[in-house]
Amino acid sequence: MTLIDSDATLEPLEFAVTKNLTAKNPSERAQILADPGFGAHFTDHMVDLCWSQKGGWHRPRVQPFGPISLSPAAAVLHYGQEIFEGIKAYRHADGGVYTFRPDQNAKRLRRSARRLALPELPTEYFLQSLRELIAVDADWVPSGDDQSLYLRPFMFASEAFLGVRPANKVAYYLIASPAGAYFTGGVTPVKIWLSEHHARAAKGGTGAAKTGGNYAASLLPQSEAYENGCDQVVFLDPDGNVEELGGMNVVFVHADGTLVTPASDSILEGITRDSILALAEDRGHTVERRSVSLQEWRDGVASGDIVEVFACGTAAVVTPIGELRAEGFTDTQPTGTLALELRKELTDIQYGRAEDRHGWLVRLDA
Ligand code: PLP
Ligand code: COI
């Protein structure tokens, strides 16, 4: 199990817990957990913390899940000063609740905070927020195949102020949503739409941060993807290099066994991708993080040098890409077995079915 670096000077927070008196009863919960879908149902509680320029992090609470009271002048509603994370909790066969590499999500949240001029939440507080929520909502962690509790930490500028500057008052929340497969078709190859007229990120922009604006920018092209019979959209940089999908990284498998994934400072550094690539390296595969042009992708598929293409992310896990569609062409993608083998290896670790040899798991309920 991972030992998280801890800051010995940081006292644990004392959370004030208010139980939800109208929490779902066990049969209502069981009905939701039988088929949770993705992102549509929420647990009974949420965690929140405030931050102010003067007081730092304060007022840690666990409260009933419910509407947030916010000034209509809150800066986030006007200037989008917001960041978030996505991480899952898994039920193991022994009943324990574990999460996966939370130190990495905590670090990325801090990187996103720096880019969005938000305060950095200490890793210890991030972890404590996960534990506090699981302490009250552990029954919401499902135990079905490929099911998990999706945890959504987020932070936003709550200060009521219309001047354009970093907010002096910020809120951090953690909510949770039981999850099944992200794509309704399960783990069948997905179709990807090439966004040729819209970019997700810019050089020097916020592409590497997990901030709402990047997702807002992806929605119009995502609608184009749906209109064209595709599940997700893939973005290019201004030089025609492949970046990533709206909510997932992309990996190309070459005939010689090399795995190649786009590297750039406008891509979200995926924790799933990093883990999958580590597992592939353990198997003896070479891994390259470098620019990949659309031309290289298309030529590689045409020549047989690219033998598999897959998407990966916390929500989608690992999903093969079966087709790349654009205005002028449709390229069928080759499918092999590696993506699904790596998916199985990763999920076996996450669900406690295989040895956690990298020390990636952290228990949340003990
Ligand atoms: N890229 C984007 C834009 C995402 O939203 C995500 C999902 O979080 C990823 C990549 C994959 O990141 P991770 O594997 O850490 O979930
Ligand atoms: C995640 O995988 O955690 C994401 O944030 C992606 C989103 C499409 C749900």
Side-chain angles (χ1 to χ4, degrees), residues 38 84 86 150 152 182 210 247 313-315:
F38 185 86
F84 67 98
Y150 182 79
R152 170 54 64 87
Y182 183 73
K210 207 160 166 63
T314 298

Side-chain angles (χ1 to χ4, degrees), residues 183-194:
F183 293 113
T184 45
V187 197
T188 48
V190 291
K191 297 185 174 72
I192 303 294
W193 176 250
L194 177 69

Side-chain angles (χ1 to χ4, degrees), residues 8-296:
T9 59
L10 208 56
E11 287 291 318
L13 297 166
E14 285 275 334
F15 283 77
V17 180
T18 307
K19 283 286 180 75
N20 187 343
L21 300 177
T22 57
K24 296 269 188 306
N25 67 41
S27 90
E28 290 170 323
R29 194 172 56 232
Q31 212 176 339
I32 292 171
L33 297 187
D35 185 17
F38 185 86
H41 303 279
F42 302 95
T43 65
D44 296 312
H45 297 89
M46 60 188 188
V47 170
D48 78 318
L49 280 174
C50 292
W51 178 90
S52 66
Q53 187 80 50
K54 285 194 185 134
W57 292 105
H58 62 278
R59 210 201 57 185
R61 296 190 297 193
V62 177
Q63 310 182 67
F65 178 90
I68 295 173
S69 162
L70 205 58
S71 165
V76 64
L77 301 176
H78 303 271
Y79 309 126
Q81 197 188 1
E82 186 269 355
I83 55 174
F84 67 98
E85 268 304 321
I87 178 168
K88 284 175 169 172
Y90 307 90
R91 173 84 62 196
H92 284 198
D94 65 2
V97 176
Y98 291 78
T99 193
F100 185 74
R101 307 188 74 184
D103 52 321
Q104 296 302 310
N105 293 86
K107 263 191 203 155
R108 191 169 64 189
L109 188 69
R110 294 209 309 264
R111 288 202 301 275
S112 299
R114 280 201 284 281
R115 180 63 185 86
L116 272 289
L118 283 162
E120 290 182 41
L121 183 74
T123 294
E124 288 79 358
Y125 291 177
F126 178 85
L127 276 168
Q128 221 193 326
S129 72
L130 305 185
R131 290 188 202 285
E132 290 288 334
L133 194 64
I134 293 302
V136 288
D137 280 341
D139 289 344
W140 282 94
V141 183
S143 53
D145 282 353
D146 289 334
Q147 290 187 334
S148 60
L149 184 65
Y150 182 79
L151 303 165
R152 170 54 64 87
F154 60 105
M155 190 193 293
F156 58 87
S158 54
E159 184 183 1
F161 181 63
L162 296 183
V164 182
R165 59 144 171 77
N168 289 328
K169 282 191 184 149
V170 167
Y172 167 79
Y173 278 80
L174 169 64
I175 58 173
S177 174
Y182 183 73
F183 293 113
T184 45
V187 197
T188 48
V190 291
K191 297 185 174 72
I192 303 294
W193 176 250
L194 177 69
S195 179
E196 290 176 282
H197 306 296
H198 304 288
R200 170 186 177 275
K203 275 207 161 58
T206 58
K210 207 160 166 63
T211 180
N214 294 339
Y215 296 80
S218 78
L219 297 179
L220 180 63
Q222 180 64 47
S223 304
E224 255 177 43
Y226 291 142
E227 281 160 21
N228 286 282
C230 292
D231 309 273
Q232 270 276 317
V233 59
V234 62
F235 292 99
L236 301 179
D237 73 11
D239 302 321
N241 293 311
V242 180
E243 289 193 320
E244 60 184 319
L245 312 189
M248 285 147 238
N249 292 120
V250 61
V251 177
F252 302 93
V253 184
H254 287 253
D256 68 358
T258 304
L259 276 70
V260 181
T261 192
S264 115
D265 55 12
S266 54
I267 292 177
L268 190 82
E269 295 279 340
I271 296 158
T272 313
R273 175 175 75 161
D274 187 67
S275 310
I276 285 287
L277 294 179
L279 295 178
E281 278 180 325
D282 291 349
R283 288 172 171 227
H285 290 270
T286 302
V287 165
E288 291 176 9
R289 292 172 171 85
R290 60 167 172 82
S291 297
V292 179
S293 69
L294 176 65
Q295 202 56 51
E296 178 183 348

